[in-house]
Amino acid sequence: MARSSEPLAGRPFLLGLGALYIAIGVAWAVANLLDGMSAVSVFVVGSFIAGSGFAVLLGGYRLPRADLDPRFYSRISRWSLGGIAVMLLILGLYDVQPDTGLSDPTRSISILTGFACVAGFGVGLYDASAKSSAFELERRNEELERLRRELEASNERLEQFAHVASHDLQEPLRMVSSYLQLLDRRYGEELDEDAAEFLEYAVDGAERMREMIDALLEYARVETKGDPFEPVDLDAVLDDVRKDLELRIRETDATVDVGELPRVEGDEHQLRQLFQNLLSNAIAYSGDEPPRVEVSAERREGPRPSERSRAERRSTTRSSGPREDGTAAENAGEAWVVSVADEGVGIDPGAQDRIFDVFQRLHSQEEQPGTGIGLALCKRIVERHGGEIRVDSEPGEGTTFSVTLPAVDRETERSVPSR
């Protein structure tokens, strides 16, 4: 549809218009040379006329190389014709004035309308460029709207899956686990050593499957079951996390140093999950020495995360776009980078790109129990907050997880009291 009108009023017309002025310029030059006009005058005037035609012809020829939608080529030709029409009107008004007139009408009309045609071409090019940009913006908005609808549908399907996981899958798993435990209680003493070991493996496997389903359900509901964003005091969040991990901290003789932390814009429940996972990992992967964990924060007022160099993002899990339920750090231009650093076993550089994927484990279940979804959940929570999570680590030298979270605006930050 866009190209069907082009042969009548688009690029071919401009090519023809340019060729016409070149022909007029050549014809005028030949005619005046035969009448005895000096070659210099003929060359100058002929260049004016033919030059305008050449400019329009070249511009029309190069239109496909311009970043323009072909459906707007006709606007350029109309502006060019409009320039010629306006110049003819001006020359007509000038010619009808008393005691005035064009000394050489053919020369004057050819030169001035040629210049007007080039000026119209330039205005039309600008107009077509603006229309093309507006059309492309509209097309992209439609594409974004389509993607938004698809994302909503995907989230609905994910929620349906979460419902299945929490009901239809949990019930038979409970039955399997219950009957295995019943077998153990009734016949445990009658089983030989191998059978007892097999039964223990089965019970343990059923329990781990239940934990994985619960974790996957939690992962699926990050977007759909999150609370609205509000100012959150991270000092209070970390206090709660340390209380939850108090027994584990005492058992491992861990030292957890928490610096002064800010208020951020977010979901308090999810942020508590985030830092509980990160602190738990830091304690779990401490190696043979008592764990030492440090939590700190610094404010960043600079380029958005997406504008940093590739080298800086080598080990970074990049963020998705900001959601409507929170003010993303990237939009505000200000963010807090909260770091959780340990002195543990570290992570091999080749494995750092996949530790945020679901069910990706770097250690066997015997070495470190877990579901393999904790860091994937962390990533999803940070993405919901419009930020990013990055890992910097070397084997044997510890690990630092850095989380970017949206800063509370300064007026709110002053008015919200600490907990």
Side-chain angles (χ1 to χ4, degrees), residues 1-10 70-71 74:
M1 177 179 173
R3 295 181 179 273
S4 61
S5 61
E6 183 187 339
L8 296 178
R71 74 185 66 196
S74 59

Side-chain angles (χ1 to χ4, degrees), residues 48-65:
F48 284 158
I49 301 172
S52 298
F54 180 76
V56 174
L57 180 66
L58 182 62
Y61 174 77
R62 296 177 61 87
L63 274 181
R65 302 183 184 181

Side-chain angles (χ1 to χ4, degrees), residues 180-195:
L180 287 173
Q181 292 172 6
L182 183 61
L183 280 173
D184 186 34
R185 285 196 299 270
R186 286 192 179 182
Y187 306 105
E189 295 181 357
E190 301 177 18
L191 300 176
D192 60 23
E193 185 177 344
D194 288 341

